[in-house]
Amino acid sequence: MSPEAANTSPQRDPVLVDLALQGGGAHGAFTWGVLDRLLEEPWLRIDGISGTSAGAMNAAVLIDGFVKGGAGGARAALKKFWRRISDAARFSPFQRGPLDIVLGRWTLDSSPMYVGMDLLSRLLSPYDLNPLGKNPLREILSELIDFRRLPQAPIKLFITATNVRTGRGHVFKNDAITPEVLLASACLPTLFQAIMIDGEQYWDGGYSGNPTLTPLIRECKSQDTILVQINPVERKQSPRSASEILNRLNEVSFNAVLLKELRMIALLRQVANPGNSEGAQWAGMRIHRIASEFMTDLGASSKLNGEWEFFSVLHAEGRKSASRFLETHGSDLGHRSTLDLDVLLERI
């Protein structure tokens, strides 16, 4: 156990929690850091995890590692996963420019290949640029995750992908998780061909739930959900450049469904009928959030930055944010919400 854990882990009864993990490409290494820190707490018991995109991959890797070796196995599996992603990214055409390296900026905005691919993606589709539908993540996921273990896992897993035909989110559970499901949950339509699963095509789950809270509330025993937030809900300054506008549009789109679910919880707290079991279940959910201002300062292009140094920075920030949450709100888990949802109702 690390010194951080020793300072925030008093002897206490176990607390059952759910985790809601947002997607965000390479920014998912922040979530890795959060999970790495939470897994050090023996009193925290994970009941279920809902994940989208990078959050989905973090969730599946964690659960597979947990089945194999408990909390320690989960932590080791997550580190191995992100190291493997970084190793594969060494051959990626998306690399930082010399000036960005000198100035310590993680952006790819000045990378010629990134700029070129960004322009091409507005003219040509992935079916033109990548007709074979190759995705290096497919091999990594198949290599690192034993998908046969997931149905027997003590932790419930919920992965969201967006059905291209209907536009609705589809939630895949433990026994239905495959490499294709994880790729579907992370399938940005401007970069990858839609993923075919059981005769239906799927895109990134962020469009329909980033992440989806409903299955955690309906199917898990825990009444505490910890949201690990990557995508900022608010920004102080209005976007001006074309890339900033597109980035903000994606943030608004990817947060929309999550905010609706949080508003529903807030509304049901005010009007829930004790006789309505599902309404009371929603109203009784305690919501918590782990986030960092550091993530707000990162540009959209850095979501494709696969450098190990960048992952390490994000991992450290995730651990620090999780430690700060535990020090401030650890005693609230199991007792009260720490995220003010009523603020959302004031802005409807």
CSV table of all heavy atoms in Angstrom, one decimal, residues 168-222:
chain,number,residue,atom,x,y,z
A,168,ARG,N,-29.8,5.0,-31.3
A,168,ARG,CA,-29.9,4.7,-29.9
A,168,ARG,C,-28.7,4.0,-29.3
A,168,ARG,O,-28.1,3.2,-30.0
A,168,ARG,CB,-31.2,4.0,-29.6
A,168,ARG,CG,-32.5,4.8,-29.9
A,168,ARG,CD,-33.7,4.1,-29.3
A,168,ARG,NE,-34.0,2.8,-29.9
A,168,ARG,CZ,-34.8,2.7,-30.9
A,168,ARG,NH1,-35.5,3.7,-31.4
A,168,ARG,NH2,-35.1,1.5,-31.4
A,169,GLY,N,-28.5,4.2,-28.0
A,169,GLY,CA,-27.4,3.5,-27.4
A,169,GLY,C,-27.8,2.0,-27.1
A,169,GLY,O,-28.9,1.7,-26.8
A,170,HIS,N,-26.8,1.2,-27.2
A,170,HIS,CA,-27.0,-0.3,-26.9
A,170,HIS,C,-26.0,-0.6,-25.8
A,170,HIS,O,-24.8,-0.3,-25.9
A,170,HIS,CB,-26.8,-1.1,-28.1
A,170,HIS,CG,-27.0,-2.6,-27.8
A,170,HIS,ND1,-28.2,-3.2,-28.1
A,170,HIS,CD2,-26.2,-3.6,-27.3
A,170,HIS,CE1,-28.1,-4.5,-27.7
A,170,HIS,NE2,-26.9,-4.7,-27.2
A,171,VAL,N,-26.5,-1.2,-24.7
A,171,VAL,CA,-25.6,-1.5,-23.6
A,171,VAL,C,-25.3,-3.0,-23.6
A,171,VAL,O,-26.2,-3.9,-23.6
A,171,VAL,CB,-26.3,-1.2,-22.2
A,171,VAL,CG1,-25.4,-1.6,-21.1
A,171,VAL,CG2,-26.5,0.3,-22.1
A,172,PHE,N,-24.0,-3.3,-23.8
A,172,PHE,CA,-23.6,-4.7,-23.8
A,172,PHE,C,-23.1,-5.1,-22.4
A,172,PHE,O,-22.4,-4.3,-21.7
A,172,PHE,CB,-22.4,-4.9,-24.7
A,172,PHE,CG,-22.8,-4.6,-26.2
A,172,PHE,CD1,-22.7,-3.4,-26.7
A,172,PHE,CD2,-23.2,-5.7,-27.0
A,172,PHE,CE1,-23.0,-3.1,-28.0
A,172,PHE,CE2,-23.5,-5.5,-28.3
A,172,PHE,CZ,-23.4,-4.2,-28.9
A,173,LYS,N,-23.4,-6.3,-21.9
A,173,LYS,CA,-23.1,-6.7,-20.6
A,173,LYS,C,-22.0,-7.8,-20.6
A,173,LYS,O,-21.6,-8.2,-21.7
A,173,LYS,CB,-24.4,-7.2,-19.8
A,173,LYS,CG,-25.5,-6.2,-19.8
A,173,LYS,CD,-26.7,-6.7,-19.2
A,173,LYS,CE,-27.9,-5.7,-19.2
A,173,LYS,NZ,-29.1,-6.3,-18.6
A,174,ASN,N,-21.6,-8.2,-19.4
A,174,ASN,CA,-20.4,-9.1,-19.3
A,174,ASN,C,-20.4,-10.2,-20.3
A,174,ASN,O,-19.3,-10.5,-20.9
A,174,ASN,CB,-20.4,-9.8,-17.9
A,174,ASN,CG,-20.2,-8.8,-16.8
A,174,ASN,OD1,-21.0,-7.8,-16.6
A,174,ASN,ND2,-19.2,-8.9,-16.0
A,175,ASP,N,-21.5,-11.0,-20.5
A,175,ASP,CA,-21.4,-12.2,-21.3
A,175,ASP,C,-21.4,-11.8,-22.8
A,175,ASP,O,-21.3,-12.7,-23.6
A,175,ASP,CB,-22.6,-13.1,-21.0
A,175,ASP,CG,-23.9,-12.5,-21.1
A,175,ASP,OD1,-24.0,-11.2,-21.4
A,175,ASP,OD2,-25.0,-13.2,-21.0
A,176,ALA,N,-21.6,-10.6,-23.1
A,176,ALA,CA,-21.7,-10.2,-24.6
A,176,ALA,C,-20.4,-9.4,-25.0
A,176,ALA,O,-20.3,-8.9,-26.1
A,176,ALA,CB,-22.9,-9.4,-24.8
A,177,ILE,N,-19.5,-9.2,-24.0
A,177,ILE,CA,-18.3,-8.3,-24.3
A,177,ILE,C,-17.3,-9.1,-25.2
A,177,ILE,O,-16.9,-10.2,-24.8
A,177,ILE,CB,-17.7,-7.8,-23.0
A,177,ILE,CG1,-18.7,-7.1,-22.1
A,177,ILE,CG2,-16.5,-6.8,-23.4
A,177,ILE,CD1,-19.4,-5.9,-22.8
A,178,THR,N,-16.9,-8.5,-26.3
A,178,THR,CA,-15.9,-9.1,-27.2
A,178,THR,C,-15.0,-7.9,-27.6
A,178,THR,O,-15.3,-6.7,-27.3
A,178,THR,CB,-16.6,-9.7,-28.4
A,178,THR,OG1,-17.2,-8.6,-29.2
A,178,THR,CG2,-17.6,-10.7,-28.1
A,179,PRO,N,-13.9,-8.2,-28.3
A,179,PRO,CA,-13.1,-7.1,-28.8
A,179,PRO,C,-13.9,-6.2,-29.7
A,179,PRO,O,-13.7,-4.9,-29.7
A,179,PRO,CB,-12.0,-7.8,-29.6
A,179,PRO,CG,-11.8,-9.2,-28.9
A,179,PRO,CD,-13.2,-9.5,-28.5
A,180,GLU,N,-14.8,-6.7,-30.5
A,180,GLU,CA,-15.6,-5.9,-31.4
A,180,GLU,C,-16.5,-4.9,-30.6
A,180,GLU,O,-16.7,-3.8,-31.0
A,180,GLU,CB,-16.5,-6.8,-32.3
A,180,GLU,CG,-15.7,-7.7,-33.2
A,180,GLU,CD,-14.7,-7.0,-34.0
A,180,GLU,OE1,-15.1,-6.1,-34.8
A,180,GLU,OE2,-13.5,-7.2,-34.0
A,181,VAL,N,-17.0,-5.4,-29.5
A,181,VAL,CA,-17.9,-4.5,-28.6
A,181,VAL,C,-17.0,-3.3,-28.1
A,181,VAL,O,-17.5,-2.1,-28.2
A,181,VAL,CB,-18.5,-5.3,-27.5
A,181,VAL,CG1,-19.1,-4.3,-26.4
A,181,VAL,CG2,-19.5,-6.2,-28.0
A,182,LEU,N,-15.8,-3.5,-27.7
A,182,LEU,CA,-15.0,-2.5,-27.2
A,182,LEU,C,-14.6,-1.5,-28.3
A,182,LEU,O,-14.5,-0.3,-28.1
A,182,LEU,CB,-13.7,-3.0,-26.5
A,182,LEU,CG,-14.0,-3.9,-25.2
A,182,LEU,CD1,-12.7,-4.4,-24.6
A,182,LEU,CD2,-14.8,-3.1,-24.2
A,183,LEU,N,-14.3,-2.1,-29.5
A,183,LEU,CA,-13.9,-1.2,-30.6
A,183,LEU,C,-15.1,-0.4,-31.0
A,183,LEU,O,-15.0,0.8,-31.4
A,183,LEU,CB,-13.5,-2.1,-31.8
A,183,LEU,CG,-12.1,-2.8,-31.6
A,183,LEU,CD1,-11.8,-3.7,-32.8
A,183,LEU,CD2,-11.0,-1.8,-31.4
A,184,ALA,N,-16.3,-1.0,-31.0
A,184,ALA,CA,-17.6,-0.3,-31.3
A,184,ALA,C,-17.8,0.9,-30.4
A,184,ALA,O,-18.1,2.0,-30.8
A,184,ALA,CB,-18.8,-1.2,-31.3
A,185,SER,N,-17.5,0.7,-29.1
A,185,SER,CA,-17.7,1.7,-28.1
A,185,SER,C,-16.8,2.9,-28.3
A,185,SER,O,-17.1,4.0,-27.9
A,185,SER,CB,-17.5,1.2,-26.7
A,185,SER,OG,-17.9,2.2,-25.7
A,186,ALA,N,-15.7,2.7,-29.0
A,186,ALA,CA,-14.6,3.7,-29.3
A,186,ALA,C,-14.5,4.1,-30.7
A,186,ALA,O,-13.5,4.7,-31.2
A,186,ALA,CB,-13.3,3.2,-28.8
A,187,CYS,N,-15.6,3.8,-31.5
A,187,CYS,CA,-15.5,4.0,-32.9
A,187,CYS,C,-16.0,5.4,-33.4
A,187,CYS,O,-17.2,5.6,-33.6
A,187,CYS,CB,-16.4,2.9,-33.6
A,187,CYS,SG,-16.4,3.0,-35.4
A,188,LEU,N,-15.0,6.3,-33.5
A,188,LEU,CA,-15.3,7.6,-34.0
A,188,LEU,C,-15.6,7.5,-35.5
A,188,LEU,O,-14.7,7.0,-36.2
A,188,LEU,CB,-14.2,8.6,-33.7
A,188,LEU,CG,-14.0,9.0,-32.2
A,188,LEU,CD1,-12.7,9.8,-32.0
A,188,LEU,CD2,-15.2,9.8,-31.7
A,189,PRO,N,-16.7,7.9,-36.0
A,189,PRO,CA,-17.1,7.7,-37.4
A,189,PRO,C,-16.2,8.4,-38.4
A,189,PRO,O,-16.2,8.0,-39.6
A,189,PRO,CB,-18.5,8.1,-37.4
A,189,PRO,CG,-18.7,9.1,-36.3
A,189,PRO,CD,-17.8,8.5,-35.2
A,190,THR,N,-15.5,9.4,-38.0
A,190,THR,CA,-14.6,10.1,-39.0
A,190,THR,C,-13.3,9.4,-39.1
A,190,THR,O,-12.5,9.7,-40.0
A,190,THR,CB,-14.4,11.6,-38.6
A,190,THR,OG1,-13.9,11.6,-37.2
A,190,THR,CG2,-15.7,12.3,-38.6
A,191,LEU,N,-13.0,8.5,-38.1
A,191,LEU,CA,-11.7,7.8,-38.1
A,191,LEU,C,-11.8,6.3,-38.4
A,191,LEU,O,-10.8,5.8,-39.0
A,191,LEU,CB,-11.0,8.0,-36.7
A,191,LEU,CG,-10.6,9.4,-36.3
A,191,LEU,CD1,-9.9,9.3,-34.9
A,191,LEU,CD2,-9.6,9.9,-37.3
A,192,PHE,N,-12.9,5.7,-38.1
A,192,PHE,CA,-13.0,4.2,-38.2
A,192,PHE,C,-14.3,3.8,-38.9
A,192,PHE,O,-15.3,4.5,-38.7
A,192,PHE,CB,-12.9,3.5,-36.9
A,192,PHE,CG,-11.6,3.8,-36.1
A,192,PHE,CD1,-11.7,4.7,-35.0
A,192,PHE,CD2,-10.4,3.3,-36.5
A,192,PHE,CE1,-10.5,4.9,-34.3
A,192,PHE,CE2,-9.3,3.5,-35.8
A,192,PHE,CZ,-9.3,4.4,-34.7
A,193,GLN,N,-14.3,2.8,-39.6
A,193,GLN,CA,-15.5,2.2,-40.2
A,193,GLN,C,-16.4,1.7,-39.0
A,193,GLN,O,-15.9,1.3,-38.0
A,193,GLN,CB,-15.2,1.0,-41.1
A,193,GLN,CG,-14.4,1.4,-42.3
A,193,GLN,CD,-14.2,0.2,-43.3
A,193,GLN,OE1,-14.9,-0.8,-43.2
A,193,GLN,NE2,-13.2,0.3,-44.2
A,194,ALA,N,-17.7,1.8,-39.2
A,194,ALA,CA,-18.6,1.3,-38.2
A,194,ALA,C,-18.3,-0.2,-37.9
A,194,ALA,O,-17.9,-1.0,-38.8
A,194,ALA,CB,-20.0,1.5,-38.7
A,195,ILE,N,-18.5,-0.6,-36.7
A,195,ILE,CA,-18.2,-2.0,-36.3
A,195,ILE,C,-19.5,-2.8,-36.4
A,195,ILE,O,-20.6,-2.4,-35.8
A,195,ILE,CB,-17.7,-2.0,-34.8
A,195,ILE,CG1,-16.4,-1.2,-34.7
A,195,ILE,CG2,-17.4,-3.5,-34.4
A,195,ILE,CD1,-15.3,-1.7,-35.5
A,196,MET,N,-19.4,-3.9,-37.1
A,196,MET,CA,-20.6,-4.8,-37.2
A,196,MET,C,-20.7,-5.8,-36.1
A,196,MET,O,-19.7,-6.6,-35.9
A,196,MET,CB,-20.5,-5.5,-38.6
A,196,MET,CG,-21.7,-6.4,-38.9
A,196,MET,SD,-23.2,-5.4,-39.3
A,196,MET,CE,-22.8,-4.8,-40.9
A,197,ILE,N,-21.8,-5.8,-35.4
A,197,ILE,CA,-22.1,-6.8,-34.3
A,197,ILE,C,-23.5,-7.3,-34.5
A,197,ILE,O,-24.5,-6.6,-34.5
A,197,ILE,CB,-21.9,-6.2,-32.9
A,197,ILE,CG1,-20.5,-5.6,-32.8
A,197,ILE,CG2,-22.2,-7.2,-31.8
A,197,ILE,CD1,-20.4,-4.8,-31.5
A,198,ASP,N,-23.6,-8.6,-34.7
A,198,ASP,CA,-24.9,-9.3,-34.9
A,198,ASP,C,-25.8,-8.6,-35.9
A,198,ASP,O,-27.0,-8.3,-35.7
A,198,ASP,CB,-25.7,-9.3,-33.5
A,198,ASP,CG,-24.9,-10.2,-32.5
A,198,ASP,OD1,-24.2,-11.1,-32.9
A,198,ASP,OD2,-25.1,-9.9,-31.3
A,199,GLY,N,-25.2,-8.2,-37.0
A,199,GLY,CA,-26.0,-7.6,-38.1
A,199,GLY,C,-26.3,-6.2,-38.0
A,199,GLY,O,-27.0,-5.6,-38.9
A,200,GLU,N,-25.8,-5.5,-36.9
A,200,GLU,CA,-26.0,-4.1,-36.8
A,200,GLU,C,-24.7,-3.4,-36.7
A,200,GLU,O,-23.7,-3.9,-36.2
A,200,GLU,CB,-26.8,-3.8,-35.4
A,200,GLU,CG,-28.2,-4.3,-35.4
A,200,GLU,CD,-29.2,-3.4,-36.2
A,200,GLU,OE1,-28.8,-2.4,-36.7
A,200,GLU,OE2,-30.4,-3.8,-36.2
A,201,GLN,N,-24.7,-2.1,-37.2
A,201,GLN,CA,-23.4,-1.3,-37.2
A,201,GLN,C,-23.5,-0.4,-36.0
A,201,GLN,O,-24.5,0.2,-35.7
A,201,GLN,CB,-23.3,-0.6,-38.5
A,201,GLN,CG,-23.0,-1.4,-39.7
A,201,GLN,CD,-22.8,-0.6,-41.0
A,201,GLN,OE1,-23.4,0.4,-41.2
A,201,GLN,NE2,-21.8,-1.1,-41.8
A,202,TYR,N,-22.3,-0.2,-35.4
A,202,TYR,CA,-22.2,0.7,-34.2
A,202,TYR,C,-21.1,1.7,-34.3
A,202,TYR,O,-20.0,1.4,-34.9
A,202,TYR,CB,-21.9,-0.2,-33.0
A,202,TYR,CG,-23.1,-1.1,-32.6
A,202,TYR,CD1,-23.2,-2.4,-33.1
A,202,TYR,CD2,-24.1,-0.6,-31.8
A,202,TYR,CE1,-24.3,-3.2,-32.8
A,202,TYR,CE2,-25.2,-1.4,-31.4
A,202,TYR,CZ,-25.3,-2.7,-31.9
A,202,TYR,OH,-26.4,-3.4,-31.6
A,203,TRP,N,-21.3,2.9,-33.7
A,203,TRP,CA,-20.4,3.9,-33.6
A,203,TRP,C,-20.1,4.2,-32.1
A,203,TRP,O,-20.6,3.5,-31.2
A,203,TRP,CB,-20.9,5.2,-34.2
A,203,TRP,CG,-20.7,5.3,-35.7
A,203,TRP,CD1,-19.9,4.6,-36.5
A,203,TRP,CD2,-21.5,6.2,-36.6
A,203,TRP,NE1,-20.1,5.0,-37.8
A,203,TRP,CE2,-21.0,5.9,-37.9
A,203,TRP,CE3,-22.5,7.1,-36.4
A,203,TRP,CZ2,-21.5,6.6,-39.0
A,203,TRP,CZ3,-23.0,7.8,-37.5
A,203,TRP,CH2,-22.5,7.6,-38.7
A,204,ASP,N,-19.2,5.1,-31.9
A,204,ASP,CA,-18.8,5.5,-30.5
A,204,ASP,C,-20.0,5.6,-29.5
A,204,ASP,O,-21.0,6.3,-29.9
A,204,ASP,CB,-18.0,6.8,-30.5
A,204,ASP,CG,-17.2,7.0,-29.3
A,204,ASP,OD1,-17.8,7.2,-28.2
A,204,ASP,OD2,-16.0,7.1,-29.4
A,205,GLY,N,-19.9,5.0,-28.4
A,205,GLY,CA,-21.0,5.1,-27.4
A,205,GLY,C,-21.2,6.5,-26.8
A,205,GLY,O,-22.2,6.8,-26.2
A,206,GLY,N,-20.2,7.4,-27.0
A,206,GLY,CA,-20.3,8.7,-26.4
A,206,GLY,C,-21.4,9.5,-27.0
A,206,GLY,O,-22.0,10.4,-26.3
A,207,TYR,N,-21.9,9.2,-28.2
A,207,TYR,CA,-23.1,9.9,-28.7
A,207,TYR,C,-24.4,9.6,-28.0
A,207,TYR,O,-25.3,10.3,-28.1
A,207,TYR,CB,-23.2,9.5,-30.2
A,207,TYR,CG,-22.0,10.0,-31.0
A,207,TYR,CD1,-21.1,9.1,-31.6
A,207,TYR,CD2,-21.8,11.3,-31.3
A,207,TYR,CE1,-20.0,9.5,-32.3
A,207,TYR,CE2,-20.7,11.8,-32.0
A,207,TYR,CZ,-19.8,10.8,-32.5
A,207,TYR,OH,-18.7,11.2,-33.3
A,208,SER,N,-24.4,8.4,-27.4
A,208,SER,CA,-25.7,8.0,-26.7
A,208,SER,C,-25.6,7.8,-25.2
A,208,SER,O,-26.6,7.5,-24.6
A,208,SER,CB,-26.2,6.7,-27.4
A,208,SER,OG,-25.2,5.7,-27.4
A,209,GLY,N,-24.4,7.9,-24.7
A,209,GLY,CA,-24.2,7.8,-23.2
A,209,GLY,C,-22.7,7.8,-22.9
A,209,GLY,O,-22.0,6.8,-23.2
A,210,ASN,N,-22.2,8.8,-22.2
A,210,ASN,CA,-20.8,8.9,-21.9
A,210,ASN,C,-20.5,9.2,-20.5
A,210,ASN,O,-20.1,10.3,-20.1
A,210,ASN,CB,-20.2,10.0,-22.8
A,210,ASN,CG,-18.7,10.0,-22.8
A,210,ASN,OD1,-18.1,8.9,-22.5
A,210,ASN,ND2,-18.0,11.1,-23.0
A,211,PRO,N,-20.7,8.2,-19.6
A,211,PRO,CA,-21.2,6.9,-19.8
A,211,PRO,C,-22.7,6.8,-19.5
A,211,PRO,O,-23.3,7.8,-19.0
A,211,PRO,CB,-20.4,6.0,-18.9
A,211,PRO,CG,-20.2,6.9,-17.7
A,211,PRO,CD,-20.1,8.3,-18.2
A,212,THR,N,-23.3,5.6,-19.7
A,212,THR,CA,-24.7,5.4,-19.3
A,212,THR,C,-24.8,5.0,-17.9
A,212,THR,O,-24.2,4.1,-17.4
A,212,THR,CB,-25.3,4.3,-20.2
A,212,THR,OG1,-25.1,4.6,-21.6
A,212,THR,CG2,-26.8,4.1,-19.9
A,213,LEU,N,-25.7,5.8,-17.1
A,213,LEU,CA,-25.9,5.5,-15.7
A,213,LEU,C,-27.0,4.5,-15.5
A,213,LEU,O,-27.0,3.9,-14.4
A,213,LEU,CB,-26.2,6.8,-15.0
A,213,LEU,CG,-25.1,7.9,-15.0
A,213,LEU,CD1,-25.6,9.1,-14.2
A,213,LEU,CD2,-23.8,7.4,-14.5
A,214,THR,N,-28.0,4.5,-16.4
A,214,THR,CA,-29.2,3.7,-16.1
A,214,THR,C,-28.9,2.2,-15.7
A,214,THR,O,-29.5,1.8,-14.7
A,214,THR,CB,-30.1,3.7,-17.4
A,214,THR,OG1,-30.4,5.0,-17.8
A,214,THR,CG2,-31.3,2.9,-17.2
A,215,PRO,N,-28.1,1.5,-16.3
A,215,PRO,CA,-27.9,0.1,-15.9
A,215,PRO,C,-27.3,0.0,-14.5
A,215,PRO,O,-27.5,-1.0,-13.7
A,215,PRO,CB,-27.0,-0.5,-16.9
A,215,PRO,CG,-26.3,0.6,-17.6
A,215,PRO,CD,-27.3,1.7,-17.6
A,216,LEU,N,-26.4,1.0,-14.1
A,216,LEU,CA,-25.9,1.0,-12.8
A,216,LEU,C,-27.0,1.1,-11.7
A,216,LEU,O,-26.9,0.5,-10.7
A,216,LEU,CB,-24.9,2.1,-12.6
A,216,LEU,CG,-23.6,2.0,-13.5
A,216,LEU,CD1,-22.7,3.3,-13.2
A,216,LEU,CD2,-22.8,0.8,-13.2
A,217,ILE,N,-27.9,1.9,-12.0
A,217,ILE,CA,-29.0,2.2,-11.1
A,217,ILE,C,-30.0,1.0,-11.1
A,217,ILE,O,-30.5,0.6,-10.0
A,217,ILE,CB,-29.7,3.5,-11.5
A,217,ILE,CG1,-28.8,4.7,-11.3
A,217,ILE,CG2,-31.0,3.7,-10.6
A,217,ILE,CD1,-29.3,6.0,-11.8
A,218,ARG,N,-30.3,0.5,-12.2
A,218,ARG,CA,-31.3,-0.6,-12.3
A,218,ARG,C,-30.8,-2.0,-11.9
A,218,ARG,O,-31.6,-2.8,-11.4
A,218,ARG,CB,-31.9,-0.7,-13.7
A,218,ARG,CG,-32.8,0.5,-14.1
A,218,ARG,CD,-33.3,0.3,-15.5
A,218,ARG,NE,-34.3,1.3,-15.9
A,218,ARG,CZ,-34.8,1.4,-17.1
A,218,ARG,NH1,-34.4,0.6,-18.1
A,218,ARG,NH2,-35.7,2.3,-17.3
A,219,GLU,N,-29.5,-2.2,-12.1
A,219,GLU,CA,-29.0,-3.6,-12.0
A,219,GLU,C,-28.0,-3.8,-10.9
A,219,GLU,O,-27.5,-5.0,-10.7
A,219,GLU,CB,-28.5,-4.1,-13.4
A,219,GLU,CG,-29.6,-4.0,-14.5
A,219,GLU,CD,-29.1,-4.7,-15.7
A,219,GLU,OE1,-28.4,-5.7,-15.7
A,219,GLU,OE2,-29.5,-4.2,-16.8
A,220,CYS,N,-27.6,-2.8,-10.2
A,220,CYS,CA,-26.5,-2.9,-9.2
A,220,CYS,C,-27.1,-2.6,-7.8
A,220,CYS,O,-28.1,-1.9,-7.7
A,220,CYS,CB,-25.4,-2.0,-9.5
A,220,CYS,SG,-24.4,-2.4,-11.0
A,221,LYS,N,-26.5,-3.2,-6.8
A,221,LYS,CA,-27.0,-3.0,-5.4
A,221,LYS,C,-26.4,-1.7,-4.8
A,221,LYS,O,-27.1,-1.1,-4.0
A,221,LYS,CB,-26.5,-4.2,-4.6
A,221,LYS,CG,-27.1,-5.5,-5.0
A,221,LYS,CD,-26.5,-6.6,-4.1
A,221,LYS,CE,-27.1,-8.0,-4.5
A,221,LYS,NZ,-26.6,-9.1,-3.6
A,222,SER,N,-25.3,-1.3,-5.3
A,222,SER,CA,-24.7,-0.1,-4.8
A,222,SER,C,-25.6,1.1,-5.0
A,222,SER,O,-26.3,1.3,-6.0
A,222,SER,CB,-23.4,0.2,-5.4
A,222,SER,OG,-22.9,1.5,-5.1
